[in-house]
Amino acid sequence: MSALGKHSTTDDVLQGVDLSGKTVFITGANSGLGLESARAMAAKGARVIMAGRDPEKLDAAFSGITSLIPKARLETILVDLASLESVRTCAAQAQERLEKIDVLVNNAAVMACPLNHTADGFEMQFGTNHLGHFALTNGLMPLVLEGVGSPGSGRIVNLSSRGHFMSDVDLDDPNFERRDYNEWISYGQAKTANALFSVGLERRFADRGVHAIAVHPGGIQTNLGRHLSEEQEQALIDRVTTSDPDYEWKTIPQGAATQVWAATATELEGRGGIYCEDCRVAEVDDESRAKGVRSYALDPARADALWTLSEELTGESFGA
Ligand SMILES: NC(=O)c1ccc[n+]([C@@H]2O[C@H](COP(=O)([O-])OP(=O)(O)OC[C@H]3O[C@@H](n4cnc5c(N)ncnc54)[C@H](OP(=O)(O)O)[C@@H]3O)[C@@H](O)[C@H]2O)c1
């Protein structure tokens, strides 16, 4: 049994783990949990591809890690998940540069922004957090399949959130074209989509050795709250502390621990279509405000419907 839990850090998770020979691709790797995941896995010998949309931020993140770990095997790659053209360019560059990807961590996100649209006209949170990663994963899948065959390979980790409690995916109007926009319903919808995408991937690729895991990292103070006013931030804090009297903020190394665990834990070998929090697999719970995963976020029929919708919207077909 794992002794890991909600206070564990990335370094606790990776104690005694050797990632040399592994290639890890992380989106949103210039900030917060993505940056810490990159640092922690590079410290264990992984070749880490840090994906982000801003070259200056990526360079600063790269330098920050190499100053701590001079031998880190790091590379950067540009991707704006709010543009399918940028996603496709990134995937094509990755295919030229890499022989395989052992672990893909779909970590980037925008939270609770005002109504806004991606380059392709999708509502920003659904478009960036889900559709951008859907298209990127399709573009990188040949590399992920190349990695299959050794322990700890063929893993896709999708960052979801307890925020998924706020909304299922509205399959009829995901882009808020016929309903009023609400920044939290939108975030909840996108984070449910991240969990359902893990189920959809598992259903299509498990028999080829690729397994996908959704993760709630905890509550961590990062740049994710950049769109919140002081009042919105206070309302969020009040909401989470009322629904969970034992609520504790995590540090960034504690927050990134569950995604690093999902990316590397031997006890998860061959498992997918699951949702993890606090370095363990969460249980389905349709009542609690403080733990678990809603049944709608792991529903296979809804995962299939979202998959079909995502293929239609992006024009991407996994050919599976
Ligand atoms: N922090 C929490 O309490 C919490 C709780 C639950 C779930 N999560 C999830 O954890 C993940 C990491 O969040 P975080 O807390 O580390 O937030 P963060 O520090 O804001 O990092 C988010 C990353 O996503 C990138 N990003 C945003 N839009 C992008 C786009 N269009 N193209 C490419 N990259 C883009 C950001 O890049 P820029 O720096 O260029 O903007 C940044 O690197 C997210 O999926 C989030 O939903 C976080």
Side-chain angles (χ1 to χ4, degrees), residues 27-35 51-54 57 79-83 106-111 124 128-129 133 158-163 187 191 194 215-226 247 249 252 259:
T27 67
N30 62 279
S31 175
L33 309 183
L35 174 58
R53 60 179 161 177
D54 181 325
K57 287 185 190 175
V79 66
D80 180 355
L81 290 157
S83 157
N106 287 324
N107 163 85
V110 58
M111 180 178 82
M124 186 59 78
T128 303
N129 302 356
H133 280 125
N158 293 313
L159 266 287
S160 178
S161 167
R162 188 169 297 155
Y187 184 65
K191 292 287 125 181
N194 294 142
V215 164
H216 167 59
I220 311 100
Q221 278 162 334
T222 63
N223 292 326
L224 197 64
R226 73 186 81 176
Y247 187 81
W249 290 103
I252 288 178
Q259 65 209 64

Side-chain angles (χ1 to χ4, degrees), residues 23 47 66 110 120-121 127 154 173 218 263 268 314:
T23 301
R47 175 184 183 188
T66 45
V110 58
D120 305 278
D173 189 17
L268 291 176
T314 61

Side-chain angles (χ1 to χ4, degrees), residues 57-297:
K57 287 185 190 175
L58 272 179
D59 285 349
F62 177 98
S63 304
I65 295 178
T66 45
S67 67
L68 293 171
I69 312 162
K71 286 188 182 159
R73 298 182 64 215
L74 293 179
E75 289 162 49
T76 60
I77 193 163
L78 277 174
V79 66
D80 180 355
L81 290 157
S83 157
L84 291 177
E85 187 186 354
S86 169
V87 166
R88 288 175 185 135
T89 303
C90 170
Q93 286 175 356
Q95 301 238 27
E96 277 168 26
R97 280 162 53 175
L98 308 175
E99 281 115 49
K100 59 162 186 165
I101 293 172
D102 297 287
V103 180
L104 168 61
V105 185
N106 287 324
N107 163 85
V110 58
M111 180 178 82
C113 55
L115 181 60
N116 196 0
H117 294 92
T118 68
D120 305 278
F122 308 128
E123 183 278 315
M124 186 59 78
Q125 298 190 68
F126 186 68
T128 303
N129 302 356
H130 171 59
L131 292 175
H133 280 125
F134 182 87
L136 182 67
T137 303
N138 186 25
L140 298 180
M141 190 55 90
L143 291 168
V144 176
L145 288 165
E146 282 298 324
V148 169
S150 60
S153 300
R155 288 208 193 185
I156 299 178
V157 179
N158 293 313
L159 266 287
S160 178
S161 167
R162 188 169 297 155
H164 86 271
F165 288 7
M166 291 185 283
S167 181
D168 195 352
V169 178
D170 185 335
L171 293 164
D172 295 321
D173 189 17
N175 290 307
F176 292 83
E177 288 159 340
R178 294 181 299 283
R179 54 182 171 142
D180 289 340
Y181 179 73
N182 174 289
E183 66 275 15
W184 289 116
I185 298 295
S186 163
Y187 184 65
Q189 164 174 269
K191 292 287 125 181
T192 295
N194 294 142
L196 287 172
F197 182 38
S198 308
V199 176
L201 281 166
E202 189 67 18
R203 284 163 69 71
R204 282 156 187 80
F205 289 96
D207 62 355
R208 290 197 249 166
V210 176
H211 299 280
I213 298 174
V215 164
H216 167 59
I220 311 100
Q221 278 162 334
T222 63
N223 292 326
L224 197 64
R226 73 186 81 176
H227 293 291
L228 303 182
S229 64
E230 263 179 47
E231 295 80 50
Q232 280 176 310
E233 198 165 350
Q234 192 52 53
L236 174 65
I237 291 169
D238 292 347
R239 215 164 48 233
V240 290
T241 49
T242 308
S243 50
D244 180 2
D246 298 326
Y247 187 81
E248 287 171 53
W249 290 103
K250 289 186 180 184
T251 63
I252 288 178
Q254 289 172 339
T258 302
Q259 65 209 64
V260 166
W261 180 72
T264 60
T266 49
E267 63 257 53
L268 291 176
E269 198 68 21
R271 295 193 65 185
I274 51 178
Y275 174 105
C276 299
E277 61 185 346
D278 296 336
C279 300
R280 58 182 168 70
V281 180
E283 287 177 15
V284 172
D285 190 328
D286 283 325
E287 302 297 330
S288 173
R289 303 297 308 165
K291 64 177 172 52
V293 55
R294 295 292 188 250
S295 51
Y296 58 69

